[in-house]
Amino acid sequence: GESVGLHLPTLSVQEGDNSIINCAYSNSASDYFIWYKQESGKGPQFIIDIRSNMDKRQGQRVTVLLNKTVKHLSLQIAATQPGDSAVYFCAEKTDAGGTSYGKLTFGQGTILTVHP
Amino acid sequence: DGGITQSPKYLFRKEGQNVTLSCEQNLNHDAMYWYRQDPGQGLRLIYYSQIVNDFQKGDIAEGYSVSREKKESFPLTVTSAQKNPTAFYLCASSKRASAEQFFGPGTRLTVL
């Protein structure tokens, strides 16, 4: 079956370092990928997304890279801060029967811990 | 402020009881979703609704029911048929054609 998964379940970094969180996907028909951040006991928050016709997109301190050849997605966080500590999920969007409904399939998640 | 609200934040239920989780949004979004999250796992889709008076089963709909009588509201009922209901439940909404889903704060359900 189709799935979205993560290479590393945990990542620990020092404050100020750059962080890279990886995600592998298997559905080559997915046209949209999203990264969410979830803090403990809260709902996920949208970070950044990327369409399948792009290979890179930048936001504020975050960059998402998409490599369709190897079906790999990554989230780079520059100058990581303690407030970045959270669980990060990648998700892929797959259409249902040609409708515009954005069904998301979520990966397992990576726990990012930033040490002061 | 626009957003999604879920209530209650914590909910305790005895085995054999049905319980309803509330989800309200004032974002004027057409689509709404319910997810279940278990410790150390990602989100799994229970039900979704693209429009009022219409909804479809997600990947793990057994033991759950929903209604969509109003655009703003998408309540989820966890029935006694759900064998392992203890989990964190998340509601989300999106514009019809957008992939970005906005999530509520979640309800943690514990079966005693």
Side-chain angles (χ1 to χ4, degrees):
Chain A
E2 302 291 350
S3 65
V4 177
L6 295 172
H7 294 302
L8 299 173
T10 62
L11 178 64
S12 293
V13 301
Q14 291 297 126
E15 182 177 1
D17 287 350
N18 296 333
S19 301
I20 300 176
I21 300 171
N22 297 302
C23 177
Y25 66 95
S26 58
N27 189 345
S28 58
S30 293
D31 60 354
Y32 217 132
F33 302 88
I34 305 100
W35 281 100
Y36 282 91
K37 171 187 179 183
Q38 186 178 25
E39 297 176 335
S40 181
K42 298 183 180 180
Q45 294 176 285
F46 178 92
I47 301 173
I48 192 168
D49 60 1
I50 188 168
R51 294 186 182 277
S52 58
N53 61 354
M54 303 169 66
D55 55 17
K56 180 179 180 179
R57 191 170 187 210
Q58 287 185 295
Q60 188 174 18
R61 280 202 308 120
V62 295
T63 301
V64 56
L65 299 178
L66 176 62
N67 186 332
K68 293 182 288 295
T69 302
V70 295
K71 296 179 185 173
H72 184 267
L73 190 70
S74 69
L75 176 70
Q76 300 178 4
I77 305 174
T80 314
Q81 303 167 1
D84 294 327
S85 294
V87 178
Y88 289 81
F89 292 96
C90 63
E92 60 180 325
K93 172 179 169 282
T94 53
D95 284 324
T99 68
S100 60
Y101 160 57
K103 179 182 178 181
L104 295 180
T105 301
F106 286 82
Q108 184 180 9
T110 290
I111 301 172
L112 174 65
T113 303
V114 182
H115 301 284
Chain B
D1 286 338
I4 303 177
T5 57
Q6 291 185 244
S7 62
K9 187 173 178 64
Y10 299 97
L11 188 58
F12 298 90
R13 179 194 109 172
K14 293 182 179 178
E15 282 193 34
Q17 289 182 334
N18 293 353
V19 63
T20 298
L21 282 59
S22 169
C23 178
E24 304 279 333
Q25 56 98 0
N26 60 6
L27 299 166
N28 199 32
H29 284 168
D30 287 309
M32 296 187 73
Y33 316 82
W34 274 105
Y35 293 91
R36 170 183 172 137
Q37 186 176 33
D38 292 286
Q41 297 189 31
L43 280 64
R44 292 184 290 169
L45 183 65
I46 304 172
Y47 268 98
Y48 64 95
S49 169
Q50 298 183 68
I51 198 168
V52 174
N53 293 323
D54 183 62
F55 49 83
Q56 285 81 38
K57 294 181 179 180
D59 300 319
I60 55 166
E62 185 175 352
Y64 301 97
S65 66
V66 293
S67 63
R68 188 85 187 277
E69 298 178 359
K70 298 187 299 182
K71 187 176 185 177
E72 302 79 15
S73 179
F74 191 41
L76 173 74
T77 297
V78 184
T79 74
S80 57
Q82 170 50 235
K83 300 303 181 186
N84 185 22
T86 294
F88 189 47
Y89 290 88
L90 288 158
C91 179
S93 70
S94 70
K95 295 179 183 178
R96 180 185 287 271
S98 170
E100 181 180 350
Q101 294 183 13
F102 294 82
F103 284 84
T107 292
R108 188 166 299 279
L109 173 64
T110 302
V111 174
L112 303 174

